[in-house]
Amino acid sequence: MAIFIGRNELIKSLNEAKRDQDKRGIEAEIKVGDILSKYLPENTYIIAQPDIGELHPDFLIIDRNYGFRLVEVKNIHINSIDGILSNGVLQTRFGKRNPLSQVKSHVEGLNNYLVANHPNLGLGDPYKSIGYCVLHLGFSKSSFEYKFANQLNKWSFEDRDNYFKYHLFAEQLNSGIVEAIERATKFRISGYFLTDKAQIEILQSIKVSHNKRNEDGYFERFNEHEEKIALVNAELNQIKENMQSYQFNSNQENMRVKKKKRKFTFLTFPLVIVLLIVGFIAIKTNYENGKENVFNTFVNLEERKEEYVKVQAEVSRFYYDSKSGTKFLTLSDGEMEMEAVIFKGTKVRFIEEGDTYIFEGYLQSAKNQKENELKITDIQ
């Protein structure tokens, strides 16, 4: 049985808490701490709310066989989650949250703490002995996989494996939690051993705080910044792929031209000019015929099929599938919503959720055949 340090401080925080939300969160942490102390082995220490930096993680676990693990406890109900991303972002009814980024931010704080306060303990590179995970107490892994099966199936095997290595669930709070906690690290160090002296010295220096700081504002900004970076990286990868494809096609075309040089005679030049003029007139006519006024509402658009339209709408949801290169959007006119898609190779501007744009494209039947979706060709 492990040693649970800081339980009394959590109870004190629970007694002082005013909001029901805070009380539920602290009750969840007490429950998790009790279960961890039941299953983790002797000479393992579980510290609640350790003061190791500007922000406090929920738990710090110190084990002589693998080093340090940071644990963030979340008690979100699965009905509050609308979507997931492989980088840990949860799209909830309250906005975007990334508890994995939250617990990862404590790694640097703990590493700096150990280097600054315990330079002579022979810890080597402490960073490699620090792991982290998020423990979802509000739902099971099976219910999570069932609800988000469509999104999970689009991930690579590596993305799925990494996700479930760092995200643990309620039903794992049993004897299997020992292996799951140990596995939750980027670096698996064989033969690692933390001496009793080092453990005791570190334990004596770490203070426990019963004042849980409000980190929501900080991490909300952190998560938004991280997601913007991920989207920009996805756009850059798309541009890189397009450039490589263009270069390949250009080289192929040059080789073809060199092998088959065509000599235009004086008779062919007038024909080319006529064809160009006819083509220009046809394109201009089609453009004028297909040009629509900008729609500000989705009313009656469901009745249209295979029509080119312009729609002014807000992006209420955005998802980029890195595997296929396809972008999926949900557009809103304030009262109704419409699904939209941007296929790989379509160059459009950077998109942010909550912003309003003018979308151009073709109305087509969605996969369910009951509604229309917009195949976007341009965004203003």
Side-chain angles (χ1 to χ4, degrees):
M1 185 171 181
I3 301 171
F4 185 5
I5 300 173
R7 191 178 191 278
N8 292 335
E9 284 77 3
L10 284 177
I11 293 175
K12 183 177 181 181
S13 296
L14 179 61
N15 294 333
E16 294 175 355
K18 305 297 183 183
R19 301 188 307 169
D20 290 338
Q21 180 182 356
D22 294 333
K23 292 179 180 179
R24 288 194 298 270
I26 298 170
E27 287 171 350
E29 290 176 24
I30 294 172
K31 178 180 178 180
V32 169
D34 288 340
I35 296 175
L36 289 176
S37 64
K38 176 182 177 181
Y39 288 109
L40 293 180
E42 293 182 0
N43 297 321
T44 298
Y45 295 87
I46 305 161
I47 308 174
Q49 300 296 323
D51 191 355
I52 56 171
E54 182 180 356
L55 301 172
H56 304 153
D58 288 340
F59 290 105
L60 167 62
I61 297 173
I62 303 177
D63 186 283
R64 62 171 58 193
N65 294 316
Y66 54 74
F68 309 91
R69 294 291 182 270
L70 295 161
V71 180
E72 187 71 25
V73 178
K74 292 300 176 185
N75 200 21
I76 307 172
H77 196 281
I78 197 167
N79 291 340
S80 300
I81 305 175
D82 298 323
I84 59 173
L85 298 179
S86 59
N87 64 352
V89 171
L90 301 177
Q91 296 170 328
T92 76
R93 64 180 62 173
F94 312 108
K96 296 182 181 66
R97 299 288 184 268
N98 193 340
L100 186 62
S101 289
Q102 186 173 342
V103 69
K104 282 170 67 176
S105 70
H106 296 305
V107 173
E108 197 66 35
L110 177 57
N111 179 69
N112 293 338
Y113 180 88
L114 294 172
V115 171
N117 294 278
H118 305 286
N120 301 318
L121 289 182
L123 299 177
D125 183 1
Y127 186 84
K128 292 185 176 181
S129 63
I130 302 173
Y132 51 86
C133 65
V134 178
L135 181 53
H136 295 285
L137 199 63
F139 49 86
S140 66
K141 183 180 179 182
S142 57
S143 62
F144 179 83
E145 289 181 306
Y146 178 79
K147 180 172 182 178
F148 301 110
N150 290 335
Q151 289 168 269
L152 290 169
N153 288 336
K154 295 176 183 177
W155 294 359
S156 66
F157 173 81
E158 183 180 3
D159 285 341
R160 285 176 60 94
D161 185 62
N162 280 331
Y163 195 91
F164 291 117
K165 179 166 73 170
Y166 298 113
H167 292 81
L168 310 182
F169 299 85
E171 74 267 34
Q172 292 176 274
L173 285 172
N174 50 37
S175 57
I177 195 66
V178 177
E179 181 180 355
I181 291 287
E182 183 176 355
R183 182 174 177 266
T185 180
K186 184 177 180 181
F187 305 97
R188 297 296 294 268
I189 306 174
S190 59
Y192 184 87
F193 187 79
L194 192 66
T195 64
D196 290 339
K197 177 185 176 183
Q199 266 189 322
I200 293 172
E201 186 172 325
I202 293 170
L203 288 167
Q204 288 177 342
S205 68
I206 293 179
K207 297 180 180 179
V208 176
S209 173
H210 76 277
N211 294 318
K212 187 173 178 63
R213 303 183 187 183
N214 184 358
E215 303 170 356
D216 290 345
Y218 169 83
F219 285 112
E220 185 172 352
R221 295 191 301 272
F222 184 89
N223 294 338
E224 289 176 357
H225 178 68
E226 183 184 66
E227 187 168 10
K228 287 180 181 179
I229 291 175
L231 292 174
V232 170
N233 287 336
E235 294 290 345
L236 290 175
N237 289 334
Q238 183 65 62
I239 292 171
K240 184 178 179 181
E241 289 180 11
N242 292 340
M243 290 179 65
Q244 290 174 342
S245 177
Y246 173 80
Q247 186 175 7
F248 175 79
N249 293 334
S250 178
N251 291 338
Q252 292 291 100
E253 180 66 17
N254 290 336
M255 291 175 63
R256 188 184 66 80
V257 170
K258 287 179 181 179
K259 291 180 180 179
K260 295 178 65 177
K261 291 184 177 180
R262 296 178 179 177
K263 296 182 179 180
F264 288 93
T265 64
F266 289 104
L267 293 176
T268 59
F269 275 110
L271 178 60
V272 172
I273 297 299
V274 170
L275 290 174
L276 287 174
I277 293 173
V278 171
F280 176 77
I281 293 173
I283 291 171
K284 188 173 186 299
T285 302
N286 288 337
Y287 175 77
E288 293 296 330
N289 292 337
K291 199 162 56 173
E292 295 274 0
N293 293 328
V294 178
F295 291 97
N296 294 313
T297 175
F298 296 157
V299 177
N300 298 326
L301 288 186
E302 290 298 330
E303 302 173 2
R304 298 170 179 258
K305 299 289 183 184
E306 303 299 332
E307 290 191 32
Y308 185 84
V309 297
K310 288 185 179 181
V311 178
Q312 180 172 314
E314 177 184 308
V315 179
S316 58
R317 284 187 293 275
F318 178 87
Y319 172 70
Y320 174 73
D321 183 3
S322 59
K323 187 175 181 180
S324 66
T326 305
K327 303 176 182 70
F328 299 94
L329 300 83
T330 301
L331 308 180
S332 172
D333 65 358
E335 295 183 1
M336 302 173 62
E337 288 189 338
M338 174 183 289
E339 300 303 317
V341 61
I342 305 172
F343 289 110
K344 181 178 179 180
T346 304
K347 296 181 179 180
V348 295
R349 60 179 293 170
F350 182 77
I351 305 167
E352 275 203 79
E353 286 187 0
D355 286 353
T356 300
Y357 306 91
I358 295 177
F359 299 92
E360 297 186 37
Y362 294 90
L363 292 170
Q364 61 184 19
S365 296
K367 288 185 178 180
N368 59 18
Q369 300 296 322
K370 296 179 180 179
E371 301 171 344
N372 273 348
E373 68 177 8
L374 181 64
K375 178 184 175 183
I376 295 173
T377 59
D378 192 21
I379 300 176
Q380 301 176 19

